[in-house]
Amino acid sequence: MESEVVRTEMVLPLALPFKKVQMADKYPKGQSRGRQWKHLRLLLQAADASSMPPDRPNYLNIQSPPSIYPPKRYCDITGFEAPYVDPRTKLRYADPEVFKQIRMLHDDYVQRYLALRNASTPLK
Amino acid sequence: MPPVTRPRRQDDFARFPSSTPIVIDNGASTFRIGWAGESEPRVAFRNIVQRPRHRSTGETVSIVGDTDPALMKFFDCTRSAIRSPFDDDVVYQFEYMEYILDYGFDRLGANSEVGHPILMTECECNPSFSRARMAELLFETYGVPSIAFGIDNAFSYKYNQKLGNCGEDGLAISCEHGTCHVVPFLKGQPVLGGCCRTNVGGFHITDFLRQLLSLKHPYHMASITWEKAEELKKEHCYIALDYMSELQLFKNNKEEAEEKTRYWQLPWVPPPKEEPPSEEELARKAALKEKAGQRLREMAAAKRSQKIVELEKKVSYLEELMEQLDEAEESEATAILGRSGYLSQQEIRSAISKATQSLRKAKGESNGNEEKTDASAADKYPLVSVPDENLTPEQLKEKKKQILLKTTTEGKLRAKQRRAEEEALREKQEEQRRAENPELYLEELRARYSELSERSEQRKRQKVNGGQTNGNHSSSSGVGRGERLNAAQKERMRLLASAAFDRGKGEDTFGMRDEDWLVYNKMSKDNDDDGNDDEESELVRIASKLQEIDPTFVSKPETVQPTPEPPKVRPLTAEDYRIAIGIERFRCPEVLFQPGMIGVDQAGIDEMVSISLRRLMEDESVKERLCQSILVTGGSSLFPGMIPRLESGIQQYRPYPARLKLVRAADPILDAWRGAAAFAASSKFGKQTFSLADYREHGENLFHRHNIVYSL
């Protein structure tokens, strides 16, 4: 290791004296590839339903519901209020200038703009 | 960017008695660890892990927290992303959590064992599996005697309650890293049933800003890093009091909008200016060129003279040899020949003629080769005129060859002559016609010329445009897949395709007939020009004639394909390296109020207050009381304009006239840890914890019930 790296002590030591089980014993080398952490949503689904009585607050039911007001529509490019939607790209736009711009956009960029508001259609 | 400071390892770990709890604020963005009763956490770092490969040793190492980019050159980070153990606000990746805890305890100075009770913060209604895994990790890996979990926002509220910022009953609005929460408090205890969470937080703001900027400036995408976006967000973003009117302000391009726009200048070095070379420089270059040319010329001259000398020597030697041979006897001659390396006298003679010719060439004289061959036609075919009887069979063969050669050359000559005669005749006829009716003749000539030139032009166009003959001379002249091909090209494609298709199909009879091979002729690309040459030459002839007799004739200039002007490359200026942050300054933080902007279909933080109050089954008077003590905390509440906007937002959802009192926490970032440290320092803290024995007895069920009492 380079001296400046050692001096900053940025690299975690492989074995720490205060631990009862060392990292290397717990997660043997070479097995990390197959090890996958389930995503939170899956873990929540897997959790026993009976352990979460509906009348008691739990992680899922404290979520906010959708707003009572309809969401406002904003231009995907400029951020201004968008009265129009391009039927081809499905992008929202504020004025004809922006429309010209979005018709010139590469499809890749269209998808990235749509992905900003979770509206992209991934091609598989 | 602010310099990255790595936390120093504390050296007073041993001084603390084992009853002193360690307090950990395990926030999704920052991990803070310290001792109960102290006012500041000892160590704080970003709650991330990366596992790059060390370049020189090839080991995979673990690095926790922010790193100095200057030191990252020693590591190969291509295959390791920056990881967080959090999903939203719940710890779910306990391998990464372990690295972070390792680093946290190590920095705190732990030597042989951790051995202290732990108070760790968590989110509201943390799922029990996450609690269980965390407890398991702390008990089994670190040997912690006892643990308590508490809600970070509750600690923050309690701490500010102690400071007098908020009352016993109130609301905490917390804008965190991955989520926003509203928690009502009654008698100093959080009411989880009235909690409300929206999955939008500071992370989403930074990400939105980064994405918007990199979409707007695709060329600078590499410069727009996460860290930079985070820095820009902290420095420049604000919350608009009225989003719609702020948008209008920017839309109408008011001067105010210009004033509110910030610019980020990327490092830019102006390209070196190309100065036109001075006179001197030009003269110097010309002199150099001249000098080099002179040298080359001299070298060539020297070479030539040397060659001339050599050739002269050779010729004189050969002539001498000939003389010797002429004078010598038969037997001697063979000896001389053997010595010279030539086989016969004739060979020497030809060598002489060759040498003299090249000598002439070298001396720059014209070689009279042409006339000589003509003149020597007779002695070129010496056997032709000799009767067959006088010849040996070998000579006979030779004679046949010579006859063949002679007839072909003669035939060629005759054809040439005939053509010349025909040409002359035609010329004469034309002359006659011209004399008879000059007007008509000129007219005819012109018509023919225009026809021919039109045809040749069309051919050229076809060649270039692949048969776009419909007069549509668009700029797309490349023969792409969709372009139409001309007839010849189509035919070639068809032949190639059928040839490829026929291969290996049935009996192959190709080549049985000689005509089969003609197909290759058709396939080859070169035959495009066949038959055009005649027309071309005709065209040239007519043009020259017209030029002679028609003073008004202007030969059509060679059609030059209009080469498109090369796109003017505008030299890049500093402005191209300037990133404007105008509307983004308030557009990005707005996602807290309108999560729909980034596709999260949940209520914004102002509406969350009313949702939370609705969930709280209490009287209107209680709700009103709660609204008198609203604490705003969390790192994302630091945006300027947050409090006024929240106030006006909440007003909309409350019966008019709502009396609201909003206070920002004393330190929205550190208050959770401070509250937790104060809580852990209380003498009654021990009753709130659970031990390894409790855990073994109750298992995971323990965590459903584990809710600490915050008012001690």
Side-chain angles (χ1 to χ4, degrees):
Chain A
M1 292 274 164
E2 293 75 8
S3 63
E4 50 263 67
V5 174
V6 174
R7 211 180 317 127
T8 53
E9 298 175 355
M10 64 195 282
V11 173
L12 206 62
L14 287 175
L16 289 159
F18 54 80
K19 286 183 80 175
K20 286 187 167 175
V21 186
Q22 294 300 338
M23 209 72 189
D25 303 329
K26 207 182 219 177
Y27 302 105
K29 219 175 178 182
Q31 286 184 17
S32 64
R33 207 142 291 280
R35 197 162 63 237
Q36 288 270 323
W37 288 96
K38 276 188 196 159
H39 268 268
L40 179 60
R41 211 182 313 147
L42 288 172
L43 288 168
L44 287 169
Q45 278 171 2
D48 191 4
S50 63
S51 69
M52 289 198 205
D55 53 326
R56 289 236 316 261
N58 61 43
Y59 186 76
L60 284 176
N61 67 16
I62 64 165
Q63 281 206 83
S64 326
S67 173
I68 53 168
Y69 296 112
K72 288 207 175 73
R73 288 159 190 275
Y74 298 103
C75 175
D76 284 308
I77 315 291
T78 61
F80 300 127
E81 251 187 304
Y84 319 110
V85 178
D86 175 16
R88 195 162 84 191
T89 60
K90 304 282 186 290
L91 282 172
R92 295 170 184 160
Y93 62 97
D95 51 46
E97 284 300 308
V98 185
F99 180 68
K100 272 184 222 158
Q101 216 178 315
I102 61 174
R103 276 296 163 97
M104 307 247 286
L105 271 183
H106 192 270
D107 195 45
D108 208 30
Y109 279 76
V110 171
Q111 289 305 320
R112 282 179 60 192
Y113 271 115
L114 286 172
L116 279 184
R117 58 179 165 91
N118 230 345
S120 67
T121 41
L123 294 173
K124 278 173 189 161
Chain B
M1 244 206 286
V4 177
T5 46
R6 303 284 301 181
R8 218 164 38 81
R9 185 177 153 90
Q10 308 292 311
D11 46 17
D12 54 355
F13 190 89
R15 267 202 2 230
F16 289 89
S18 62
S19 59
T20 310
I22 293 174
V23 178
I24 297 170
D25 178 10
N26 191 19
S29 74
T30 317
F31 182 95
R32 300 178 194 88
I33 188 167
W35 294 104
E38 293 192 349
S39 61
E40 295 285 322
R42 288 295 182 95
V43 176
F45 50 86
R46 204 169 144 205
N47 214 337
I48 50 166
V49 186
Q50 45 187 326
R51 306 213 347 105
R53 212 165 48 80
H54 188 239
R55 279 192 199 280
S56 55
T57 56
E59 290 169 51
T60 303
V61 297
S62 318
I63 298 175
V64 176
D66 265 324
T67 50
D68 185 356
L71 288 178
M72 289 317 280
K73 68 178 179 220
F74 298 118
F75 300 96
D76 176 15
C77 300
T78 47
R79 289 176 65 188
S80 80
I82 289 179
R83 311 269 182 195
S84 161
F86 284 84
D87 192 353
D88 288 339
D89 51 356
V90 176
V91 181
Y92 81 115
Q93 293 215 355
F94 285 88
E95 188 188 341
Y96 298 135
M97 196 65 240
E98 192 172 337
Y99 286 120
I100 284 159
L101 284 171
D102 275 357
Y103 190 65
F105 288 129
D106 177 60
R107 293 295 95 181
L108 195 64
N111 281 322
S112 54
E113 54 162 10
V114 176
H116 290 263
I118 300 264
L119 171 61
M120 190 184 257
T121 64
E122 56 173 20
C123 67
E124 286 81 349
C125 300
N126 196 16
S128 52
F129 64 81
S130 178
R131 271 185 182 176
R133 291 293 303 272
M134 184 69 88
E136 198 182 295
L137 182 68
L138 287 170
F139 282 135
E140 288 173 8
T141 307
Y142 299 97
V144 169
S146 60
I147 308 170
F149 290 118
I151 297 164
D152 48 1
N153 293 324
F155 287 129
S156 181
Y157 188 85
K158 294 306 286 182
Y159 184 74
N160 279 282
Q161 187 190 339
K162 214 186 281 172
L163 291 179
N165 289 334
C166 47
E168 207 174 35
D169 300 345
L171 279 171
I173 301 176
S174 168
C175 307
E176 299 142 35
H177 185 65
T179 51
C180 285
H181 282 99
V182 171
V183 191
F185 287 84
L186 285 175
K187 300 191 182 75
Q189 270 294 106
V191 184
L192 292 177
C195 263
C196 173
R197 183 190 73 239
T198 291
N199 295 330
V200 166
F203 168 86
H204 301 91
I205 300 173
T206 308
D207 197 51
F208 194 41
L209 178 62
R210 188 177 62 92
Q211 299 263 22
L212 281 177
L213 290 182
S214 61
L215 277 168
K216 213 163 150 191
H217 305 274
Y219 290 108
H220 303 307
M221 214 180 297
S223 316
I224 305 165
T225 58
W226 172 268
E227 284 75 17
K228 187 67 203 179
E230 181 92 12
E231 192 192 327
L232 289 172
K233 173 185 90 171
K234 285 178 182 165
E235 209 174 316
H236 298 297
C237 282
Y238 66 92
I239 286 171
L241 184 58
D242 183 348
Y243 189 64
M244 281 321 194
S245 62
E246 194 82 4
L247 278 183
Q248 278 305 315
L249 188 95
F250 271 79
K251 177 144 196 183
N252 299 336
N253 267 335
K254 292 245 178 72
E255 274 180 31
E256 268 178 86
E258 182 58 33
E259 264 172 42
K260 284 187 174 179
T261 303
R262 299 281 178 272
Y263 295 100
W264 167 33
Q265 181 69 54
L266 289 170
W268 177 75
V269 186
K273 268 215 176 120
E274 268 181 51
E275 284 178 15
S278 63
E279 294 268 307
E280 262 174 62
E281 185 80 352
L282 281 175
R284 207 169 56 83
K285 270 189 185 158
L288 267 178
K289 209 170 167 188
E290 177 59 33
K291 223 175 177 176
Q294 188 63 37
R295 217 180 52 223
L296 279 177
R297 273 197 293 278
E298 273 167 16
M299 265 162 68
K303 217 172 184 181
R304 216 172 73 191
S305 61
Q306 197 183 349
K307 200 176 171 190
I308 287 170
V309 171
E310 256 172 43
L311 281 170
E312 272 170 353
K313 256 190 208 162
K314 192 177 176 187
V315 169
S316 62
Y317 163 74
L318 285 173
E319 271 164 2
E320 229 170 80
L321 201 67
M322 279 303 281
E323 268 169 40
Q324 275 178 21
L325 280 173
D326 284 344
E327 285 161 18
E329 299 287 311
E330 190 83 0
S331 55
E332 253 180 80
T334 44
I336 293 169
L337 272 176
R339 248 182 287 137
S340 66
Y342 286 99
L343 287 176
S344 67
Q345 226 162 322
Q346 215 160 2
E347 207 174 321
I348 296 175
R349 224 174 278 141
S350 72
I352 290 176
S353 71
K354 225 188 252 167
T356 41
Q357 253 179 50
S358 40
L359 189 62
R360 254 189 239 151
K361 218 188 214 166
K363 280 182 177 164
E365 289 166 24
S366 70
N367 50 355
N369 204 11
E370 211 59 34
E371 308 94 80
K372 218 174 150 194
T373 43
D374 277 1
S376 64
D379 33 76
K380 233 175 154 184
Y381 314 112
L383 298 174
V384 176
S385 49
V386 182
D388 286 355
E389 303 89 71
N390 305 356
L391 294 170
T392 59
E394 242 168 73
Q395 278 171 322
L396 263 176
K397 225 185 252 171
E398 188 68 16
K399 186 185 169 183
K400 260 186 206 160
K401 221 191 266 171
Q402 282 181 2
I403 289 172
L404 196 69
L405 268 173
K406 198 181 167 194
T407 46
T408 47
T409 38
E410 275 170 1
K412 266 185 204 159
L413 268 176
R414 267 203 298 278
K416 211 171 170 184
Q417 231 167 352
R418 204 164 47 231
R419 233 177 297 149
E421 273 166 21
E422 266 171 28
E423 192 90 337
L425 191 69
R426 205 167 49 188
E427 206 98 316
K428 225 159 125 195
Q429 277 173 348
E430 273 183 23
E431 201 64 18
Q432 224 171 346
R433 269 176 37 213
R434 189 184 148 197
E436 276 168 16
N437 192 348
E439 301 287 288
L440 185 69
Y441 174 71
L442 200 60
E443 209 53 34
E444 271 177 9
L445 215 55
R446 276 195 195 132
R448 176 99 180 112
Y449 176 79
S450 65
E451 184 196 332
L452 278 174
S453 66
E454 180 65 25
R455 212 183 299 167
S456 84
E457 205 127 294
Q458 196 176 339
R459 209 174 296 122
K460 264 179 207 156
R461 257 206 311 272
Q462 272 184 352
K463 232 184 243 175
V464 176
N465 283 1
Q468 273 191 348
T469 47
N470 45 3
N472 175 15
H473 239 303
S474 68
S475 56
S476 64
S477 58
V479 180
R481 210 170 26 162
E483 303 287 339
R484 278 197 269 150
L485 305 167
N486 67 18
Q489 283 168 318
K490 265 187 207 155
E491 177 64 10
R492 191 190 308 136
M493 290 301 284
R494 195 191 61 76
L495 283 170
L496 282 171
S498 65
F501 182 68
D502 287 344
R503 177 160 299 163
K505 195 183 90 177
E507 214 172 323
D508 191 5
T509 56
F510 186 87
M512 300 281 262
R513 288 172 303 137
D514 284 346
E515 298 93 83
D516 289 350
W517 301 105
L518 289 178
V519 81
Y520 287 115
N521 245 350
K522 281 190 210 149
M523 275 188 206
S524 94
K525 255 187 183 175
D526 315 325
N527 67 355
D528 262 5
D529 310 327
D530 276 4
N532 301 344
D533 292 348
D534 290 347
E535 281 180 14
E536 292 286 302
S537 61
E538 175 92 356
L539 189 66
V540 170
R541 202 177 59 80
I542 292 178
S544 68
K545 192 160 277 173
L546 270 171
Q547 233 150 11
E548 262 173 44
I549 58 173
D550 185 3
T552 62
F553 174 77
V554 182
S555 102
K556 262 189 204 170
E558 191 67 22
T559 45
V560 181
Q561 205 67 36
T563 45
E565 279 273 301
K568 277 242 171 82
V569 180
R570 188 172 55 87
L572 288 175
T573 59
E575 283 203 7
D576 295 313
Y577 283 81
R578 200 174 66 169
I579 290 176
I581 306 154
I583 189 172
E584 290 83 4
R585 285 184 67 197
F586 62 94
R587 183 182 175 190
C588 298
E590 186 66 19
V591 300
L592 295 178
F593 292 89
Q594 303 184 43
M597 282 169 74
I598 52 166
V600 175
D601 193 17
Q602 284 187 298
I605 48 175
D606 44 2
E607 197 180 344
M608 277 165 71
V609 171
S610 81
I611 292 167
S612 194
L613 290 176
R614 201 169 60 230
R615 284 182 178 172
L616 203 65
M617 312 288 192
E618 295 288 343
D619 288 345
E620 189 54 43
S621 62
V622 177
K623 292 180 183 175
E624 212 164 291
R625 199 166 67 235
L626 292 182
C627 287
Q628 309 277 314
S629 157
I630 300 178
L631 183 80
V632 185
T633 184
S636 298
S637 70
L638 285 168
F639 292 110
M642 185 68 163
I643 303 291
R645 172 67 191 276
L646 259 180
E647 201 164 341
S648 78
I650 296 167
Q651 291 276 9
Q652 290 177 18
Y653 295 94
R654 296 290 304 154
Y656 184 82
R659 280 169 48 227
L660 301 173
K661 188 177 167 241
L662 279 92
V663 186
R664 179 179 272 144
D667 185 338
I669 292 172
L670 277 179
D671 278 355
W673 187 87
R674 289 187 183 131
F679 176 81
S682 150
S683 56
K684 292 177 201 154
F685 172 70
K687 293 213 180 99
Q688 305 294 330
T689 59
F690 56 90
S691 64
L692 182 58
D694 296 332
Y695 174 58
R696 290 221 171 108
E697 192 181 331
H698 299 286
E700 205 174 309
N701 274 328
L702 178 71
F703 304 110
H704 295 312
R705 293 184 283 115
H706 176 75
N707 277 319
I708 60 170
V709 180
Y710 293 88
S711 313
L712 296 175

